[in-house]
Amino acid sequence: MTASASDLVPRRVTGSRKPVSRDETQAKLDVRSRAAMQIKPGDHYTLADRFEEKVASHGDRVFLVYGEQRLSYAEVDARANQVAHALHARGLRCGDVCALAMENRPEFFFYWLGLAKLGIVTAVINTQVSGRPLAHALETVEAKAFIVGEECLANFALTEDRPARPLYVVADAEKPATAADREILTADITAEVGAAPRTTYPRAGRAGVRAEESMLLIFTSGTTGLPKAARYSHMRWMSSGDVMEVTLKTGPDDVFYCCLPLYHGAAATSVVSTALKSGASIFLRRKFSTREFWSDVRKHGITVVQYIGEICRYLLNAPAHKDDRNHSLRYMLGAGLTPESWARWIERFGEVQIFEGWGATEANTAVINIDNYPGSVGRIPYWEKSNLRLVRFDVETESHPRDENGRYILCQPGEVGEGIAFIVDHPDVGAGRFEGYTSREATEKKILRNVFNDGDAYWSSGDLLRYDDEGYLYFVDRIGDTFRWKSENVSTAEVADALSDYPGMELLNIYGVKVPQHEGRAGMAAVVMQPGHEFDPKLFYDLTAERLPSYAAPVFVRVSGVADLTSTFKLRKVDLQRQGYDPKAFSDPLYVRDEEAGTYQPYSEEALRKARLPPFA
């Protein structure tokens, strides 16, 4: 059955404001479009060229702040030159791929920029994985060498089936490796890089590299299956900074907060590219810390923060402080901020402009809420000026309905559909290109062909969205996360939004589980409570009854001690779905919805019988 606004959970609107005119929004989008067109695919212009330009004009200004270290543009450039000279001596050449596994620390930038000076493609590796996922990543990128921070060496030592390539280690005084783990390295190159020349590495070695060629390989951080390596060109990376610099109107006096892992697209692309274009500084933290966030902001005058996933929820759940509104933060940009959290954020921390957006690492399109319109991920005032389209999608058959001519059907306001984007293929136009993955098969799977006309091609996002009469877009769910129960479509994201302010809750994961002898899937909630708070089944039931239609209310509640998160704070669902409501599969407390008593009862055969549900099988 095709998803529509009438059979998905209605999203509550909080803190609404009047939309600006379509022309006003379009004028802002036109500025962004012009910025996106500055770099042409065939330009011989790379990340290394842009950085060296900034060094020439901003050399003495601070580029990186890490702990007590303050590194200027010129100093970071000199360290990157040392890396380039040393790795060239090790045999790495323009066009090679090199894997980089390192936590957020200055050396990440030295090596990334040093590789760029050589014209080498950097494959950034998840610092949390080992075993088969790590081996898969290394095989996928076909790297000529591995550069590994000492803090990540144990992951490689645990991965016996990794490809046989030179493994160069970079020392880390904060997290030294064990002697046993160091036995796998080819060489510790810390000393030889430190002894290499600081003079500018000759540009001639990369002179033939075009802007359209890959500069980064970034693994998509999906919540199911092994990730894919998405290609990211010099052009797209720098254009991202060009676009966001004119959007935020940032400059050399701004300070960007980088607390998300640099192997993830949000940090490696949006934060760094925009800061570099602006000639600004980056405050670098190894990982996000709720306790240190606001002290970092105040101490270092941070003005721009990139958020993702549950970061804002963590900060909102922290105890209130008398200085909550005493800070320098001006802009927040990211994805995943619910309307409720948005309103709570502004109420507690003051008027910070929030640029909620929608896109993907590999996407050939993106939208961003430049109007600061609560709850929306962006706006398309005039569809003819965008390559994005919303087409109807049947969540039951997971297919696209067609019209009488066999073409896809555009959504109308209020209808839920998949976001797809026309793939631009023009030698002089970079915007709208789909750069794909290292795997041709994976790339082809993301392309829809003959959508509206013979021969056209569209990128398939796998995301369900809707838009209102004013052209504002709203994220609904990932395809596959929306499920059917009692012949109705249920969006896991919108159920989670509706229940997001349950008192004392740290995290909430909504998913559908199979029920024997029943069609569709029953809703289940995995709840993680904050320390010192206990799950109240009656209060949770009352909230579902107030906020949700009966078919969308979770049938089961699992109270977990910890949440299964990706390193970028996305909730995993695949293991939870597989375990379902089988009490033998886990030890977490389990509850069953009791409509008659108006509460959730501890799991038992009697509770299942009252709910007219069979045992899990």
PDB file of all heavy atoms in Angstrom, residues 5 15 23 43 62 98 223 229 237 245 251 280 292 294 376 385 394 421 445 498 503 517 566 572 583 591 598 605:
ATOM      1  N   ALA A   5       0.095  10.658   3.899  1.00  0.00           N
ATOM      2  CA  ALA A   5       0.047  11.386   5.172  1.00  0.00           C
ATOM      3  C   ALA A   5      -1.065  10.873   6.064  1.00  0.00           C
ATOM      4  O   ALA A   5      -0.991  10.967   7.281  1.00  0.00           O
ATOM      5  CB  ALA A   5      -0.129  12.884   4.906  1.00  0.00           C
ATOM      6  N   GLY A  15       6.819  24.890  18.281  1.00  0.00           N
ATOM      7  CA  GLY A  15       7.576  26.113  18.062  1.00  0.00           C
ATOM      8  C   GLY A  15       7.481  26.610  16.640  1.00  0.00           C
ATOM      9  O   GLY A  15       8.456  27.100  16.075  1.00  0.00           O
ATOM     10  N   ASP A  23       9.970  33.249  -2.789  1.00  0.00           N
ATOM     11  CA  ASP A  23      11.020  33.986  -3.488  1.00  0.00           C
ATOM     12  C   ASP A  23      12.194  34.310  -2.564  1.00  0.00           C
ATOM     13  O   ASP A  23      13.354  34.306  -2.987  1.00  0.00           O
ATOM     14  CB  ASP A  23      10.459  35.282  -4.085  1.00  0.00           C
ATOM     15  CG  ASP A  23       9.579  35.024  -5.306  1.00  0.00           C
ATOM     16  OD1 ASP A  23       9.674  33.921  -5.889  1.00  0.00           O
ATOM     17  OD2 ASP A  23       8.778  35.914  -5.667  1.00  0.00           O
ATOM     18  N   ASP A  43      38.780  21.277 -13.896  1.00  0.00           N
ATOM     19  CA  ASP A  43      39.808  22.149 -13.317  1.00  0.00           C
ATOM     20  C   ASP A  43      40.915  21.326 -12.671  1.00  0.00           C
ATOM     21  O   ASP A  43      40.647  20.329 -11.989  1.00  0.00           O
ATOM     22  CB  ASP A  43      39.194  23.070 -12.258  1.00  0.00           C
ATOM     23  CG  ASP A  43      38.256  24.107 -12.850  1.00  0.00           C
ATOM     24  OD1 ASP A  43      38.245  24.275 -14.076  1.00  0.00           O
ATOM     25  OD2 ASP A  43      37.511  24.743 -12.059  1.00  0.00           O
ATOM     26  N   VAL A  62      45.379  30.641  13.397  1.00  0.00           N
ATOM     27  CA  VAL A  62      45.236  29.297  13.965  1.00  0.00           C
ATOM     28  C   VAL A  62      44.283  28.470  13.104  1.00  0.00           C
ATOM     29  O   VAL A  62      43.176  28.927  12.778  1.00  0.00           O
ATOM     30  CB  VAL A  62      44.699  29.374  15.404  1.00  0.00           C
ATOM     31  CG1 VAL A  62      44.393  27.972  15.934  1.00  0.00           C
ATOM     32  CG2 VAL A  62      45.712  30.063  16.305  1.00  0.00           C
ATOM     33  N   CYS A  98      45.422   5.158  -0.318  1.00  0.00           N
ATOM     34  CA  CYS A  98      46.044   4.848   0.967  1.00  0.00           C
ATOM     35  C   CYS A  98      44.965   4.872   2.042  1.00  0.00           C
ATOM     36  O   CYS A  98      44.184   5.822   2.130  1.00  0.00           O
ATOM     37  CB  CYS A  98      47.133   5.866   1.284  1.00  0.00           C
ATOM     38  SG  CYS A  98      48.079   5.470   2.768  1.00  0.00           S
ATOM     39  N   THR A 223      23.112   1.174   9.227  1.00  0.00           N
ATOM     40  CA  THR A 223      22.828   0.415  10.448  1.00  0.00           C
ATOM     41  C   THR A 223      22.641  -1.070  10.171  1.00  0.00           C
ATOM     42  O   THR A 223      22.383  -1.843  11.079  1.00  0.00           O
ATOM     43  CB  THR A 223      21.564   0.963  11.126  1.00  0.00           C
ATOM     44  OG1 THR A 223      20.496   0.960  10.179  1.00  0.00           O
ATOM     45  CG2 THR A 223      21.797   2.376  11.609  1.00  0.00           C
ATOM     46  N   ALA A 229      32.035   1.885   0.314  1.00  0.00           N
ATOM     47  CA  ALA A 229      32.957   3.018   0.217  1.00  0.00           C
ATOM     48  C   ALA A 229      32.464   3.977  -0.858  1.00  0.00           C
ATOM     49  O   ALA A 229      32.475   3.656  -2.049  1.00  0.00           O
ATOM     50  CB  ALA A 229      34.362   2.537  -0.103  1.00  0.00           C
ATOM     51  N   TRP A 237      34.011  18.027  -2.526  1.00  0.00           N
ATOM     52  CA  TRP A 237      34.445  18.386  -1.170  1.00  0.00           C
ATOM     53  C   TRP A 237      34.585  19.893  -1.049  1.00  0.00           C
ATOM     54  O   TRP A 237      34.075  20.512  -0.109  1.00  0.00           O
ATOM     55  CB  TRP A 237      35.759  17.683  -0.849  1.00  0.00           C
ATOM     56  CG  TRP A 237      36.176  17.798   0.580  1.00  0.00           C
ATOM     57  CD1 TRP A 237      35.876  16.946   1.608  1.00  0.00           C
ATOM     58  CD2 TRP A 237      36.987  18.832   1.159  1.00  0.00           C
ATOM     59  NE1 TRP A 237      36.444  17.383   2.779  1.00  0.00           N
ATOM     60  CE2 TRP A 237      37.128  18.539   2.539  1.00  0.00           C
ATOM     61  CE3 TRP A 237      37.604  19.970   0.650  1.00  0.00           C
ATOM     62  CZ2 TRP A 237      37.864  19.336   3.408  1.00  0.00           C
ATOM     63  CZ3 TRP A 237      38.335  20.784   1.514  1.00  0.00           C
ATOM     64  CH2 TRP A 237      38.466  20.467   2.879  1.00  0.00           C
ATOM     65  N   GLU A 245      29.896  28.181   3.247  1.00  0.00           N
ATOM     66  CA  GLU A 245      30.493  29.463   3.639  1.00  0.00           C
ATOM     67  C   GLU A 245      29.566  30.625   3.311  1.00  0.00           C
ATOM     68  O   GLU A 245      29.403  31.553   4.122  1.00  0.00           O
ATOM     69  CB  GLU A 245      31.846  29.627   2.945  1.00  0.00           C
ATOM     70  CG  GLU A 245      32.619  30.870   3.368  1.00  0.00           C
ATOM     71  CD  GLU A 245      32.635  31.936   2.287  1.00  0.00           C
ATOM     72  OE1 GLU A 245      32.143  31.679   1.169  1.00  0.00           O
ATOM     73  OE2 GLU A 245      33.126  33.038   2.580  1.00  0.00           O
ATOM     74  N   GLY A 251      33.694  33.417   8.607  1.00  0.00           N
ATOM     75  CA  GLY A 251      34.954  34.024   8.222  1.00  0.00           C
ATOM     76  C   GLY A 251      36.080  33.613   9.145  1.00  0.00           C
ATOM     77  O   GLY A 251      35.925  32.703   9.977  1.00  0.00           O
ATOM     78  N   ALA A 280      38.861  29.779   8.794  1.00  0.00           N
ATOM     79  CA  ALA A 280      38.528  29.753  10.222  1.00  0.00           C
ATOM     80  C   ALA A 280      39.387  28.730  10.965  1.00  0.00           C
ATOM     81  O   ALA A 280      40.261  28.072  10.397  1.00  0.00           O
ATOM     82  CB  ALA A 280      37.045  29.427  10.393  1.00  0.00           C
ATOM     83  N   GLU A 292      31.930  17.883  28.592  1.00  0.00           N
ATOM     84  CA  GLU A 292      32.893  18.904  28.186  1.00  0.00           C
ATOM     85  C   GLU A 292      32.375  19.844  27.104  1.00  0.00           C
ATOM     86  O   GLU A 292      33.023  20.848  26.794  1.00  0.00           O
ATOM     87  CB  GLU A 292      34.177  18.225  27.673  1.00  0.00           C
ATOM     88  CG  GLU A 292      34.872  17.343  28.685  1.00  0.00           C
ATOM     89  CD  GLU A 292      35.418  18.140  29.863  1.00  0.00           C
ATOM     90  OE1 GLU A 292      35.601  19.375  29.709  1.00  0.00           O
ATOM     91  OE2 GLU A 292      35.655  17.540  30.927  1.00  0.00           O
ATOM     92  N   TRP A 294      29.912  22.198  26.586  1.00  0.00           N
ATOM     93  CA  TRP A 294      29.699  23.628  26.783  1.00  0.00           C
ATOM     94  C   TRP A 294      30.941  24.330  27.328  1.00  0.00           C
ATOM     95  O   TRP A 294      31.185  25.505  27.010  1.00  0.00           O
ATOM     96  CB  TRP A 294      28.498  23.873  27.683  1.00  0.00           C
ATOM     97  CG  TRP A 294      27.196  23.603  26.989  1.00  0.00           C
ATOM     98  CD1 TRP A 294      26.305  22.616  27.256  1.00  0.00           C
ATOM     99  CD2 TRP A 294      26.657  24.337  25.879  1.00  0.00           C
ATOM    100  NE1 TRP A 294      25.238  22.676  26.385  1.00  0.00           N
ATOM    101  CE2 TRP A 294      25.432  23.725  25.529  1.00  0.00           C
ATOM    102  CE3 TRP A 294      27.097  25.440  25.147  1.00  0.00           C
ATOM    103  CZ2 TRP A 294      24.640  24.181  24.484  1.00  0.00           C
ATOM    104  CZ3 TRP A 294      26.315  25.899  24.103  1.00  0.00           C
ATOM    105  CH2 TRP A 294      25.101  25.286  23.776  1.00  0.00           C
ATOM    106  N   SER A 376      11.528  21.162   9.847  1.00  0.00           N
ATOM    107  CA  SER A 376      11.750  20.865   8.435  1.00  0.00           C
ATOM    108  C   SER A 376      13.228  20.600   8.165  1.00  0.00           C
ATOM    109  O   SER A 376      14.110  21.145   8.828  1.00  0.00           O
ATOM    110  CB  SER A 376      11.266  22.030   7.571  1.00  0.00           C
ATOM    111  OG  SER A 376      11.663  21.874   6.233  1.00  0.00           O
ATOM    112  N   LYS A 385      13.658  24.142 -10.188  1.00  0.00           N
ATOM    113  CA  LYS A 385      15.004  24.616  -9.909  1.00  0.00           C
ATOM    114  C   LYS A 385      15.799  23.629  -9.058  1.00  0.00           C
ATOM    115  O   LYS A 385      16.873  23.972  -8.560  1.00  0.00           O
ATOM    116  CB  LYS A 385      14.950  25.978  -9.212  1.00  0.00           C
ATOM    117  CG  LYS A 385      14.405  27.082 -10.107  1.00  0.00           C
ATOM    118  CD  LYS A 385      14.623  28.453  -9.494  1.00  0.00           C
ATOM    119  CE  LYS A 385      14.193  29.553 -10.467  1.00  0.00           C
ATOM    120  NZ  LYS A 385      14.508  30.904  -9.947  1.00  0.00           N
ATOM    121  N   ASP A 394       5.387   2.207  -2.318  1.00  0.00           N
ATOM    122  CA  ASP A 394       4.534   1.254  -1.616  1.00  0.00           C
ATOM    123  C   ASP A 394       5.372   0.557  -0.549  1.00  0.00           C
ATOM    124  O   ASP A 394       6.268  -0.233  -0.869  1.00  0.00           O
ATOM    125  CB  ASP A 394       3.968   0.231  -2.607  1.00  0.00           C
ATOM    126  CG  ASP A 394       2.900  -0.663  -1.980  1.00  0.00           C
ATOM    127  OD1 ASP A 394       3.073  -1.058  -0.806  1.00  0.00           O
ATOM    128  OD2 ASP A 394       1.922  -0.965  -2.665  1.00  0.00           O
ATOM    129  N   ALA A 421      16.899  11.824  -7.016  1.00  0.00           N
ATOM    130  CA  ALA A 421      17.505  13.025  -7.584  1.00  0.00           C
ATOM    131  C   ALA A 421      18.056  12.738  -8.974  1.00  0.00           C
ATOM    132  O   ALA A 421      18.797  11.755  -9.168  1.00  0.00           O
ATOM    133  CB  ALA A 421      18.619  13.552  -6.682  1.00  0.00           C
ATOM    134  N   LYS A 445      23.030  -0.279  -8.221  1.00  0.00           N
ATOM    135  CA  LYS A 445      21.845  -0.552  -7.410  1.00  0.00           C
ATOM    136  C   LYS A 445      21.190   0.730  -6.895  1.00  0.00           C
ATOM    137  O   LYS A 445      20.010   0.713  -6.527  1.00  0.00           O
ATOM    138  CB  LYS A 445      22.207  -1.459  -6.233  1.00  0.00           C
ATOM    139  CG  LYS A 445      22.418  -2.919  -6.614  1.00  0.00           C
ATOM    140  CD  LYS A 445      22.715  -3.758  -5.379  1.00  0.00           C
ATOM    141  CE  LYS A 445      22.872  -5.227  -5.748  1.00  0.00           C
ATOM    142  NZ  LYS A 445      23.190  -6.081  -4.555  1.00  0.00           N
ATOM    143  N   ALA A 498       7.424  11.289  18.606  1.00  0.00           N
ATOM    144  CA  ALA A 498       6.261  11.530  19.457  1.00  0.00           C
ATOM    145  C   ALA A 498       6.538  11.198  20.922  1.00  0.00           C
ATOM    146  O   ALA A 498       5.948  11.797  21.823  1.00  0.00           O
ATOM    147  CB  ALA A 498       5.072  10.716  18.952  1.00  0.00           C
ATOM    148  N   PRO A 503       9.826  11.210  30.335  1.00  0.00           N
ATOM    149  CA  PRO A 503      10.714  11.642  31.416  1.00  0.00           C
ATOM    150  C   PRO A 503      11.767  10.595  31.781  1.00  0.00           C
ATOM    151  O   PRO A 503      11.455   9.406  31.948  1.00  0.00           O
ATOM    152  CB  PRO A 503       9.745  11.874  32.584  1.00  0.00           C
ATOM    153  CG  PRO A 503       8.423  12.155  31.936  1.00  0.00           C
ATOM    154  CD  PRO A 503       8.400  11.289  30.715  1.00  0.00           C
ATOM    155  N   GLN A 517       1.509 -15.830  12.905  1.00  0.00           N
ATOM    156  CA  GLN A 517       0.074 -15.860  12.601  1.00  0.00           C
ATOM    157  C   GLN A 517      -0.528 -14.473  12.398  1.00  0.00           C
ATOM    158  O   GLN A 517      -1.740 -14.301  12.411  1.00  0.00           O
ATOM    159  CB  GLN A 517      -0.692 -16.599  13.694  1.00  0.00           C
ATOM    160  CG  GLN A 517      -0.177 -18.005  13.969  1.00  0.00           C
ATOM    161  CD  GLN A 517      -0.628 -18.534  15.315  1.00  0.00           C
ATOM    162  OE1 GLN A 517      -1.709 -18.198  15.781  1.00  0.00           O
ATOM    163  NE2 GLN A 517       0.203 -19.346  15.943  1.00  0.00           N
ATOM    164  N   THR A 566      25.896   3.038  16.292  1.00  0.00           N
ATOM    165  CA  THR A 566      27.059   3.160  15.437  1.00  0.00           C
ATOM    166  C   THR A 566      27.944   4.236  16.041  1.00  0.00           C
ATOM    167  O   THR A 566      27.555   4.944  16.968  1.00  0.00           O
ATOM    168  CB  THR A 566      26.672   3.568  14.005  1.00  0.00           C
ATOM    169  OG1 THR A 566      26.200   4.920  14.024  1.00  0.00           O
ATOM    170  CG2 THR A 566      25.577   2.666  13.444  1.00  0.00           C
ATOM    171  N   ARG A 572      21.274   1.051  15.861  1.00  0.00           N
ATOM    172  CA  ARG A 572      21.185  -0.175  15.080  1.00  0.00           C
ATOM    173  C   ARG A 572      19.865  -0.871  15.410  1.00  0.00           C
ATOM    174  O   ARG A 572      19.393  -0.850  16.527  1.00  0.00           O
ATOM    175  CB  ARG A 572      22.348  -1.112  15.410  1.00  0.00           C
ATOM    176  CG  ARG A 572      23.724  -0.532  15.187  1.00  0.00           C
ATOM    177  CD  ARG A 572      24.772  -1.606  15.441  1.00  0.00           C
ATOM    178  NE  ARG A 572      26.069  -1.050  15.715  1.00  0.00           N
ATOM    179  CZ  ARG A 572      26.973  -0.762  14.793  1.00  0.00           C
ATOM    180  NH1 ARG A 572      26.687  -0.990  13.527  1.00  0.00           N
ATOM    181  NH2 ARG A 572      28.147  -0.255  15.124  1.00  0.00           N
ATOM    182  N   PRO A 583      11.921 -13.894  24.964  1.00  0.00           N
ATOM    183  CA  PRO A 583      12.590 -13.643  26.246  1.00  0.00           C
ATOM    184  C   PRO A 583      13.850 -14.477  26.437  1.00  0.00           C
ATOM    185  O   PRO A 583      14.673 -14.165  27.299  1.00  0.00           O
ATOM    186  CB  PRO A 583      11.511 -14.011  27.276  1.00  0.00           C
ATOM    187  CG  PRO A 583      10.642 -15.005  26.571  1.00  0.00           C
ATOM    188  CD  PRO A 583      10.627 -14.584  25.136  1.00  0.00           C
ATOM    189  N   TYR A 591       8.174  -5.852  28.385  1.00  0.00           N
ATOM    190  CA  TYR A 591       6.796  -5.525  28.738  1.00  0.00           C
ATOM    191  C   TYR A 591       5.888  -5.693  27.530  1.00  0.00           C
ATOM    192  O   TYR A 591       6.311  -5.538  26.384  1.00  0.00           O
ATOM    193  CB  TYR A 591       6.699  -4.081  29.240  1.00  0.00           C
ATOM    194  CG  TYR A 591       7.417  -3.817  30.545  1.00  0.00           C
ATOM    195  CD1 TYR A 591       8.786  -3.547  30.557  1.00  0.00           C
ATOM    196  CD2 TYR A 591       6.737  -3.847  31.760  1.00  0.00           C
ATOM    197  CE1 TYR A 591       9.449  -3.308  31.747  1.00  0.00           C
ATOM    198  CE2 TYR A 591       7.396  -3.603  32.955  1.00  0.00           C
ATOM    199  CZ  TYR A 591       8.752  -3.333  32.940  1.00  0.00           C
ATOM    200  OH  TYR A 591       9.400  -3.101  34.129  1.00  0.00           O
ATOM    201  N   GLY A 598      -4.620  -0.361  30.725  1.00  0.00           N
ATOM    202  CA  GLY A 598      -4.026   0.937  30.440  1.00  0.00           C
ATOM    203  C   GLY A 598      -2.594   1.063  30.909  1.00  0.00           C
ATOM    204  O   GLY A 598      -2.208   2.090  31.483  1.00  0.00           O
ATOM    205  N   GLU A 605       3.111 -15.366  29.738  1.00  0.00           N
ATOM    206  CA  GLU A 605       2.145 -15.996  28.845  1.00  0.00           C
ATOM    207  C   GLU A 605       0.766 -15.372  29.019  1.00  0.00           C
ATOM    208  O   GLU A 605       0.013 -15.201  28.051  1.00  0.00           O
ATOM    209  CB  GLU A 605       2.089 -17.499  29.114  1.00  0.00           C
ATOM    210  CG  GLU A 605       3.345 -18.237  28.685  1.00  0.00           C
ATOM    211  CD  GLU A 605       3.194 -19.751  28.829  1.00  0.00           C
ATOM    212  OE1 GLU A 605       2.084 -20.207  29.198  1.00  0.00           O
ATOM    213  OE2 GLU A 605       4.186 -20.461  28.584  1.00  0.00           O
TER     214      GLU A 605
END
